[in-house]
């Protein structure tokens, strides 16, 4: 049996007294598009940072394709591409230079680099803009450039933290279409966080709803929507509740005004502004 793309068991991470991740059990199968959803402050980014080895794993276990994240961190990093919430493209470099930088950092063999950089830029439709400074790009183009940076090392697992935040609907669709196309071409696994329930419903094979550091619901979007309908006593002919209804049902009190703190609001706004 092949190892899961991601396997977290009892993962816990605290910032002082704040238990950001609190006993997370999560398995992402190879090849699937998996959505990690949850209100501000649910612990999604912290979990992702543990999976990418940017944070240590103080408690529990994290493995990426069977590689222990607490063991050989470089071995884990070689398997994944990561698009963080924060800006990872340099506005003073061209699109091509930005992607070439990632190719060097991720050890793409020198003789393959130019070709792989061109392929990554082509995969996100930035060939024509490749030699322009990234500072001249629109928000949607910056996101696609960051996608190319993450793809240039041909990762088996692509991790995206709110890839479409702050983008207009057309740019959002475009980012997803490019993710879907690369995934279909390569069989790559995708783990994504998003606040947009419509995107999760449309593009994710399975989703997990996270709240206060733990998974509270898990399944395909349709399974979760049907499950809520059944719990509400809906007739088979009634329209299914939306994924947003499921989210509200699961997160409940996490969606009131006390959800998240100043840091959460600041980071969300900063991210939205810089890609907007
Ligand atoms: N560097 C940090 N220092 C202190 N507390 C932190 C830090 N990073 C996260 N936290 C706290 O940990 C909890 C989980 O935060 P995290 O960013 O993982 O949530 P999230 O689900 O990704 O939220 P969002 O959807 O807003 O990005 C929150 O209470 C947050 O305030």
């Amino acid at each position: 049996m092949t190892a899961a793309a991601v396997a977290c068991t009892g993962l816990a991470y605290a910032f002082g007294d704040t238990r950001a991740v609190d006993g997370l059990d999560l398995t992402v199968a190879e090849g699937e598009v998996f959505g990690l959803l949850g209100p501000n402050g649910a612990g999604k980014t912290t979990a992702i940072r543990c999976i990418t080895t940017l944070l240590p794993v103080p408690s529990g276990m994290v493995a990426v394709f069977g590689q222990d994240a607490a063991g050989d961190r470089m071995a884990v990093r070689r398997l994944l591409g990561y698009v963080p919430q924060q800006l990872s493209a340099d506005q003073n470099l061209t699109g091509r230079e930005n992607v070439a930088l990632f190719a060097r950092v991720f050890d793409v063999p020198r003789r393959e680099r130019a070709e792989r950089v061109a392929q990554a830029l082509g995969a996100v439709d930035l060939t024509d803009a490749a030699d322009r400074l990234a500072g001249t790009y629109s928000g949607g183009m910056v996101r696609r450039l960051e996608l190319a940076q993450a793809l240039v090392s041909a990762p088996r697992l692509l991790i995206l933290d709110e890839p479409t935040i702050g983008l207009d609907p057309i740019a959002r669709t475009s980012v997803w279409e490019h993710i879907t196309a690369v995934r279909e071409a390569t069989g790559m696994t995708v783990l994504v966080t998003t606040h947009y329930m419509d995107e999760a419903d449309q593009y994710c094979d399975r989703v997990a709803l996270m709240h206060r550091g733990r998974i509270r619901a898990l399944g395909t979007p349709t399974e979760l929507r049907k499950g809520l309908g059944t719990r509400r006593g809906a007739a088979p002919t009634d329209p299914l509740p939306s994924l947003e209804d499921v989210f509200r049902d699961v997160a409940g009190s996490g969606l009131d005004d006390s959800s998240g703190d100043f840091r959460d609001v600041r980071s969300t706004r900063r991210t939205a502004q810089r890609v907007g």
Side-chain angles (χ1 to χ4, degrees), residues 162-175:
E162 303 201 23
T164 55
I165 194 166
L167 300 183
D168 66 48
I170 293 172
R172 281 169 54 185
T173 304
S174 165
V175 165

Side-chain angles (χ1 to χ4, degrees), residues 15 18 20 39-46 85 162 195 261 263-264:
F15 295 99
T18 307
N40 291 133
K44 306 178 296 292
T45 298
T46 306
Q85 277 188 36
E162 303 201 23
H195 284 285
D261 61 10
R263 196 200 63 83
D264 300 321

Side-chain angles (χ1 to χ4, degrees), residues 10-139:
L11 173 65
Y13 192 97
F15 295 99
D17 293 338
T18 307
R19 291 188 197 181
V21 179
D22 191 17
L24 179 75
D25 294 320
L26 175 72
T27 304
V28 179
E30 178 160 19
E32 72 179 335
V33 178
F34 191 98
L36 192 56
L37 317 177
N40 291 133
K44 306 178 296 292
T45 298
T46 306
I48 276 183
R49 287 194 175 146
C50 292
I51 296 166
T52 55
T53 77
L54 294 174
L55 285 177
V57 179
S59 176
M61 166 96 186
V62 175
V64 175
F65 292 108
Q67 290 275 355
D68 184 355
D72 185 348
R73 292 199 299 175
M74 276 318 294
V76 172
R77 288 181 190 186
R78 273 188 215 106
L79 294 167
L80 54 88
Y82 176 42
V83 180
Q85 277 188 36
Q86 295 80 10
L87 187 63
S88 57
D90 184 337
Q91 61 174 350
N92 297 314
L93 298 179
T94 66
R96 194 184 306 281
E97 288 166 345
N98 267 294
V99 180
L101 187 64
F102 272 66
R104 278 205 298 280
V105 170
F106 282 92
D107 272 347
V108 174
R110 183 188 287 267
R111 63 181 183 288
E112 292 175 25
R113 263 184 224 154
E115 173 68 20
R116 293 265 293 272
V117 168
Q119 269 173 5
L121 286 161
V124 297
D125 263 343
L126 283 178
T127 303
D128 290 346
D131 296 309
R132 266 170 50 195
L133 289 181
T136 68
Y137 285 11
S138 68

